[in-house]
Amino acid sequence: MESGPRGGSRPAEPGPCLSSQCGADQAASASVLSAAGAEPGSRTLAVAAVLPAGGCGERMGVPTPKQFCPVLERPLISYTLQALERACWIKDVVVVVTEENMQAMENIIQKYKHKSISLVEAGVTRHRSIFNGLRALADNRLNSKLSKPEVVIIHDAVRPFFDEDILLKVVTAAKEHGAAGAVRPLVSTVISPSADGCLDYSLERARHRASEMPQAFLFDVIYEAYQQCSDYDLEFGTECLQLALKYCHIKAKLVEGSPDLWKVTYKRDLYAAESIIKERISQEICIVMDPKENEEHIGHLLEEILKTELNHVQVTSQALYNAGSDIQQINLEQCYNFVCVNVKTPDFRETQKLLSMLEESNFSLLYPIVVVSAHFLDFKLVSPSQKMESLMWIREFAKEMRKKNILLYGLLINHSQDEQKLQENLRQGAIIITALIKERNSALIGQLLVA
Amino acid sequence: MESGPRGGSRPAEPGPCLSSQCGADQAASASVLSAAGAEPGSRTLAVAAVLPAGGCGERMGVPTPKQFCPVLERPLISYTLQALERACWIKDVVVVVTEENMQAMENIIQKYKHKSISLVEAGVTRHRSIFNGLRALADNRLNSKLSKPEVVIIHDAVRPFFDEDILLKVVTAAKEHGAAGAVRPLVSTVISPSADGCLDYSLERARHRASEMPQAFLFDVIYEAYQQCSDYDLEFGTECLQLALKYCHIKAKLVEGSPDLWKVTYKRDLYAAESIIKERISQEICIVMDPKENEEHIGHLLEEILKTELNHVQVTSQALYNAGSDIQQINLEQCYNFVCVNVKTPDFRETQKLLSMLEESNFSLLYPIVVVSAHFLDFKLVSPSQKMESLMWIREFAKEMRKKNILLYGLLINHSQDEQKLQENLRQGAIIITALIKERNSALIGQLLVA
């Protein structure tokens, strides 16, 4: 039951603070998990995860269940699966969905190339769904690709923001204590109403915690608890840690989690999720320029200004001519934002080269990539209106790119001979580039903006 | 101690579901408050509000205290004050701020023309700050413009999203029960940890509530409670309802609130707040066109397409030539989005007229106004590049308008003679207009976009 990496064809996994590769991290995690294991030596822990996703999201106020709501056009649950995939040591992920959403879920897994997922049909309540997921892992059926894990993680489909560290912590604690769960301080005071709707008592905020996800359990503990628990528990209960306590006398270890563990509950949470994801994928900009041409000077000026304007953003530069492997290098650095500098090259040649490479790759599978095609022109020598002739081309091309999840914008910068004016124009260009990257607005693709 | 409207010079108060005028609503509210009062007849309740705003926002992870964080460039607390101002029957609002933020708060009140606000210095804890606010109302000092109210509302500076209805409900309940507070269902299960950091017990979620704001009290009840309460309460307590229970034996009435009552706590909440406010001010678009010219046809076509594309948005049209009072009319309908149709008029004449009127008014005081200057041109007859000459003009003009909180964008629509193509171009124009209104991005002002 060795857990290993789930294939080398996993999709690129971005986010500035997240590792995209399982190699080194996996070794570290495996070592932690191995150290926490009962037996010393090289055997690592067999871990699976159950993700109940059968809810109807009534609190959201939208017809689509919240786990399927699109965020940057991708369903929320796909982000959660992606975050679980970062922990390569999780062998299987069982997603529990209602029959009516089974096909939609299949499509999501296929489209975003999620690995090691098994689908199980949901029950009518959350607890019944989790029980169904655990049963699938326990069964050890002949044709099942699933096998019983030593530790099982239970997480929510609508909590996409967590890092591997909290998973490791709850799994390690579960191995030691039998059960563990993430907790957070309470935001509001909790009170108990009397029957007539008045205040009976209020709880001391500092002495209580909000129980969040992920949680983890020794598989035998939580499975035993579910097998024993009453119909009332299955219908009205919400807390898995409570079941382990009630039926197996296991006092779960509580692990303090970060604010990232929040659950997408209301419509405003979808807004917040989209903003957070946009921010995460806007942390790096790659400036692409042709070193063979005499354009390095202006390209590097733009690079410097972007670095000054964007304190927290990493700005790098690349040349496309050197080798085809450069784009691969960019991907490893999880870059979703490109500024392509075209100076002497006619029209959009440099940009076209970059776009072909991006098109051939699969980088835009999970997130829309922004490409700003930057052009320089001295407005005193040539009227910017002449450059407008290119507009039609970029508009049509942007429409094509849109289908590949690549957002292409044009940017015309006044290459003034006056050094001070040039600096001002470059600064204006940097502001526009920042806005395009931050908003990632598909309605403005193909536009030629002027700085 | 009659409460009356606080002057006719209050700023425009927008939001699609919010009333902008105090007249009719006030009569209704006054009648409710009067009916709830002890004495029958015309006497309405004297109500004041205390807004503790002395927190440092440590959970936000940003250096600025969260109540002063900008949302669409305006500090969050100004939105909360604006929401309180909608309830004209609140006579005084006491804002409690730290000494170091006193001047900043003065500036906010002046800049956004908030009325009936008194500032009081904060204590070192939330409870001490509220106590200071109550003291200022109780004092009846000779030079004080404040007077002791019958009922006092306590609210949070960082909860800007509530409507008058919940204020009325808690005030009415407080008048009857002595104390009242808004509550919400729990999002997470609440648990109690043992000393060793393990699960001791979990609370049944359905039997508990999160205590939210606003709360309201008979002034004498809460003031008495604060005068009696211990230093421990003042240092470590968080719940005003609990003080009324403990020291005055008043069991507060709990009022179920809407999800709108949430508190801006984390950075993600600021993202959500900005998205909600943007959505609220994007619910109406006014198309401005000159009926004297032969442009009504194309203007109305654009209007129809916008109506089709934007299901939930109210699209109206206006003529500027009729009378100066038309803009006043637009304001009453709380419109923050204008599309100005220029067909035969040279360049931007229609747009300039609108901008002058907006500039003279004070409509952009609270929210950035979007103005899209739409131009029509048959690209087959005239190259769009010719129209680009106007670009420089709109860029400079947009910079000026920006200072007045007006965001000006140009939009060039291909007025194709082919009916089907024209429809497609208008649809594309509608998508761009929608994006500009939705994003309200100041980095793209002065750009000439093409549809």
Side-chain angles (χ1 to χ4, degrees):
Chain A
M1 258 192 279
E2 297 276 303
S3 75
R6 283 172 286 162
S9 62
R10 295 164 62 243
E13 287 159 8
C17 51
L18 303 165
S19 62
S20 73
Q21 295 293 297
C22 263
D25 286 333
Q26 194 209 1
S29 312
S31 131
V32 171
L33 290 175
S34 167
E39 298 164 42
S42 66
R43 199 187 72 92
T44 55
L45 209 58
V47 181
V50 172
L51 205 63
C56 62
E58 74 241 28
R59 278 183 289 197
M60 185 71 85
V62 290
T64 310
K66 53 195 171 180
Q67 61 274 25
F68 297 115
C69 283
V71 178
L72 286 178
E73 299 184 12
R74 179 152 67 100
L76 188 63
I77 193 171
S78 169
Y79 292 91
T80 310
L81 292 175
Q82 185 192 351
L84 283 172
E85 276 171 350
R86 277 182 215 119
C88 322
W89 43 270
I90 299 176
K91 196 164 162 280
D92 296 301
V93 177
V94 177
V95 180
V96 193
V97 284
T98 59
E99 202 204 331
E100 62 184 344
N101 287 318
M102 196 64 82
Q103 190 54 52
M105 194 64 225
E106 293 269 20
N107 296 346
I108 290 167
I109 291 165
Q110 201 173 2
K111 179 165 183 188
Y112 300 106
K113 303 196 195 305
H114 294 300
K115 305 287 177 205
S116 311
I117 313 281
S118 301
L119 296 188
V120 166
E121 199 176 319
V124 290
T125 64
R126 176 180 158 81
H127 269 333
R128 289 194 189 278
S129 291
I130 295 171
F131 195 10
N132 288 357
L134 294 173
R135 255 196 222 106
L137 285 168
D139 267 359
N140 273 335
R141 267 174 295 187
L142 202 65
N143 290 330
S144 172
K145 54 178 178 150
L146 297 174
S147 57
K148 199 182 90 167
E150 192 169 353
V151 170
V152 63
I153 294 167
I154 299 177
H155 191 63
D156 279 329
V158 290
R159 296 187 199 249
F161 302 111
F162 59 91
D163 53 28
E164 193 181 343
D165 182 56
I166 187 74
L167 289 178
L168 269 177
K169 279 183 181 159
V170 294
V171 165
T172 309
K175 172 74 183 154
E176 190 181 339
H177 294 261
V183 294
R184 287 281 307 152
L186 294 175
V187 169
S188 305
T189 301
V190 174
I191 59 180
S192 175
S194 54
D196 61 349
C198 288
L199 175 67
D200 195 13
Y201 60 86
S202 76
L203 301 173
E204 213 176 311
R205 211 201 277 189
R207 294 207 180 165
H208 292 82
R209 286 281 181 281
S211 172
E212 310 287 345
M213 292 274 162
Q215 298 178 345
F217 303 85
L218 285 175
F219 185 84
D220 291 338
V221 165
I222 193 67
Y223 193 51
E224 173 76 15
Y226 270 101
Q227 281 177 309
Q228 290 196 19
C229 79
S230 67
D231 275 345
Y232 184 88
D233 284 326
L234 287 175
E235 289 301 317
F236 301 107
T238 56
E239 185 50 67
C240 300
L241 301 181
Q242 179 63 21
L243 295 184
L245 178 64
K246 187 170 169 189
Y247 294 103
C248 299
H249 312 290
I250 296 287
K251 290 199 160 203
K253 180 70 181 174
L254 305 178
V255 180
E256 292 286 339
S258 72
D260 291 346
L261 298 180
W262 61 289
K263 173 162 67 167
V264 174
T265 309
Y266 299 106
K267 199 178 170 192
R268 65 169 186 265
D269 295 322
L270 275 181
Y271 292 144
E274 181 153 318
S275 296
I276 289 170
I277 292 166
K278 280 182 177 174
E279 192 182 80
R280 285 194 176 184
I281 60 176
S282 301
Q283 296 300 308
E284 190 178 337
I285 300 175
C286 179
I287 302 182
V288 178
M289 47 188 138
D290 181 354
K292 280 209 288 195
E293 296 199 15
N294 189 16
E295 69 191 31
E296 268 202 276
H297 175 64
I298 193 77
H300 285 299
L301 277 181
L302 183 61
E303 186 178 344
E304 285 315 307
I305 298 247
L306 276 167
K307 278 179 182 165
T308 315
E309 289 290 313
L310 303 167
N311 270 328
H312 305 288
V313 176
Q314 197 190 333
V315 181
T316 60
S317 59
Q318 291 274 336
L320 289 189
Y321 267 175
N322 290 356
S325 63
D326 281 327
I327 291 286
Q328 208 60 35
Q329 177 64 24
I330 293 165
N331 174 47
L332 293 184
E333 290 167 13
Q334 301 168 351
C335 187
Y336 291 86
N337 312 290
F338 297 88
V339 176
C340 203
V341 177
N342 303 263
V343 180
K344 296 256 169 123
T345 43
D347 295 329
F348 295 88
R349 208 176 68 191
E350 219 37 28
T351 302
Q352 274 177 303
K353 245 188 293 172
L354 172 66
L355 289 172
S356 316
M357 291 169 103
L358 288 173
E359 252 190 294
E360 278 167 33
S361 76
N362 224 354
F363 302 165
S364 57
L365 179 68
L366 297 181
Y367 301 98
I369 290 183
V370 167
V371 175
V372 179
S373 185
H375 304 262
F376 293 85
L377 193 72
D378 187 340
F379 290 5
K380 274 205 179 140
L381 301 178
V382 192
S383 156
S385 58
Q386 291 184 22
K387 202 79 181 181
M388 282 290 284
E389 301 302 329
S390 321
L391 178 69
M392 293 306 166
W393 183 87
I394 200 173
R395 284 176 74 203
E396 292 310 311
F397 206 55
K399 274 185 212 163
E400 283 307 302
M401 286 300 112
R402 176 80 189 82
K403 295 173 192 159
K404 310 267 161 81
N405 212 16
I406 296 171
L407 307 176
L408 173 64
Y409 311 92
L411 176 61
L412 190 55
I413 296 178
N414 184 358
H415 194 160
S416 175
Q417 298 306 313
D418 177 325
E419 192 59 32
Q420 203 181 337
K421 272 192 189 154
L422 178 60
Q423 285 290 322
E424 178 48 37
N425 298 341
L426 287 169
R427 209 182 66 85
Q428 187 56 33
I431 290 171
I432 293 172
I433 289 168
T434 311
L436 293 173
I437 286 171
K438 193 181 151 223
E439 305 285 9
R440 233 161 267 265
N441 194 325
S442 62
L444 300 182
I445 57 162
Q447 297 293 335
L448 190 61
L449 305 165
V450 179
Chain B
M1 259 192 280
E2 296 276 300
S3 75
R6 284 172 285 162
S9 62
R10 295 163 62 243
E13 287 159 10
C17 52
L18 303 166
S19 62
S20 73
Q21 294 293 298
C22 263
D25 286 332
Q26 194 210 1
S29 311
S31 129
V32 170
L33 291 175
S34 167
E39 298 164 42
S42 65
R43 199 186 73 91
T44 55
L45 210 57
V47 181
V50 171
L51 205 65
C56 63
E58 74 242 28
R59 279 183 290 198
M60 184 72 83
V62 289
T64 310
K66 54 195 171 180
Q67 61 273 25
F68 297 115
C69 282
V71 179
L72 285 178
E73 300 185 12
R74 180 153 65 101
L76 187 63
I77 193 170
S78 169
Y79 292 91
T80 310
L81 292 175
Q82 185 192 353
L84 282 172
E85 276 171 349
R86 277 181 216 118
C88 323
W89 42 270
I90 299 176
K91 197 165 160 281
D92 297 300
V93 177
V94 177
V95 179
V96 194
V97 285
T98 58
E99 201 204 332
E100 63 184 343
N101 288 319
M102 195 64 80
Q103 189 53 52
M105 194 63 225
E106 292 269 20
N107 296 346
I108 290 167
I109 291 166
Q110 201 174 1
K111 179 165 182 188
Y112 299 107
K113 304 196 196 303
H114 293 301
K115 305 289 178 203
S116 310
I117 312 282
S118 301
L119 296 189
V120 166
E121 199 175 317
V124 291
T125 65
R126 177 180 158 82
H127 268 333
R128 289 194 190 275
S129 291
I130 295 172
F131 195 10
N132 288 358
L134 294 173
R135 253 195 224 109
L137 285 168
D139 267 359
N140 272 335
R141 268 174 295 184
L142 202 65
N143 291 330
S144 171
K145 55 178 180 153
L146 298 173
S147 55
K148 200 182 91 168
E150 193 169 352
V151 170
V152 63
I153 294 166
I154 299 177
H155 191 62
D156 280 328
V158 290
R159 296 187 198 250
F161 301 110
F162 59 91
D163 53 28
E164 192 180 343
D165 183 56
I166 187 72
L167 288 178
L168 269 177
K169 279 182 181 158
V170 293
V171 166
T172 308
K175 172 75 183 154
E176 190 182 339
H177 294 262
V183 295
R184 289 280 306 152
L186 295 175
V187 169
S188 305
T189 301
V190 174
I191 59 180
S192 176
S194 54
D196 62 347
C198 288
L199 175 67
D200 195 14
Y201 59 87
S202 77
L203 300 174
E204 212 175 311
R205 209 200 279 190
R207 294 206 182 165
H208 292 82
R209 286 281 180 282
S211 173
E212 309 286 347
M213 291 276 161
Q215 298 178 345
F217 303 85
L218 285 175
F219 185 84
D220 292 337
V221 165
I222 192 69
Y223 194 50
E224 174 75 15
Y226 269 101
Q227 281 177 308
Q228 290 195 20
C229 80
S230 67
D231 275 346
Y232 184 88
D233 284 327
L234 288 175
E235 289 302 316
F236 302 106
T238 56
E239 185 50 68
C240 301
L241 301 181
Q242 179 64 22
L243 295 185
L245 178 64
K246 187 170 169 190
Y247 294 102
C248 300
H249 312 290
I250 296 288
K251 291 199 159 204
K253 180 69 181 174
L254 305 178
V255 180
E256 292 284 341
S258 72
D260 290 346
L261 298 181
W262 61 290
K263 175 163 64 168
V264 173
T265 308
Y266 299 105
K267 200 176 169 193
R268 66 170 185 264
D269 295 321
L270 274 182
Y271 292 144
E274 180 153 318
S275 296
I276 288 171
I277 291 166
K278 280 181 176 173
E279 192 182 81
R280 285 194 176 183
I281 59 175
S282 301
Q283 296 301 306
E284 190 177 338
I285 299 175
C286 179
I287 302 181
V288 178
M289 48 187 138
D290 180 356
K292 282 209 289 196
E293 296 198 15
N294 191 15
E295 69 191 31
E296 268 203 276
H297 176 62
I298 193 78
H300 286 299
L301 278 181
L302 184 60
E303 184 177 344
E304 285 316 306
I305 297 245
L306 275 168
K307 278 179 181 164
T308 316
E309 288 290 314
L310 304 166
N311 269 328
H312 305 288
V313 176
Q314 197 190 335
V315 181
T316 60
S317 58
Q318 291 275 335
L320 288 190
Y321 267 176
N322 291 355
S325 63
D326 280 327
I327 291 284
Q328 207 59 36
Q329 177 65 24
I330 293 165
N331 173 48
L332 294 183
E333 290 166 14
Q334 301 167 352
C335 186
Y336 292 85
N337 312 289
F338 297 89
V339 176
C340 203
V341 176
N342 304 262
V343 180
K344 296 258 169 117
T345 44
D347 295 330
F348 295 88
R349 208 176 69 190
E350 233 16 45
T351 302
Q352 275 177 302
K353 243 188 293 173
L354 172 66
L355 290 173
S356 315
M357 291 169 102
L358 288 173
E359 252 190 293
E360 279 167 32
S361 76
N362 224 354
F363 301 165
S364 57
L365 180 68
L366 297 181
Y367 300 99
I369 290 183
V370 167
V371 175
V372 179
S373 185
H375 305 261
F376 293 85
L377 192 72
D378 187 340
F379 290 3
K380 273 205 177 139
L381 301 179
V382 190
S383 157
S385 58
Q386 292 185 20
K387 201 79 181 180
M388 281 290 284
E389 301 302 328
S390 322
L391 178 68
M392 292 306 165
W393 183 88
I394 201 172
R395 282 176 75 204
E396 293 310 311
F397 206 56
K399 274 185 210 163
E400 283 306 303
M401 287 298 111
R402 176 81 188 82
K403 296 173 192 161
K404 311 267 161 81
N405 212 16
I406 296 171
L407 308 176
L408 173 64
Y409 311 93
L411 176 62
L412 190 56
I413 297 178
N414 185 356
H415 195 160
S416 175
Q417 298 306 314
D418 177 324
E419 192 60 31
Q420 204 181 337
K421 273 191 188 156
L422 178 61
Q423 286 289 321
E424 178 48 38
N425 297 342
L426 286 170
R427 209 183 66 85
Q428 186 57 33
I431 291 171
I432 293 172
I433 289 168
T434 311
L436 293 174
I437 286 171
K438 194 182 149 224
E439 305 285 9
R440 234 162 268 265
N441 194 326
S442 62
L444 299 182
I445 57 162
Q447 297 293 335
L448 189 63
L449 306 166
V450 181

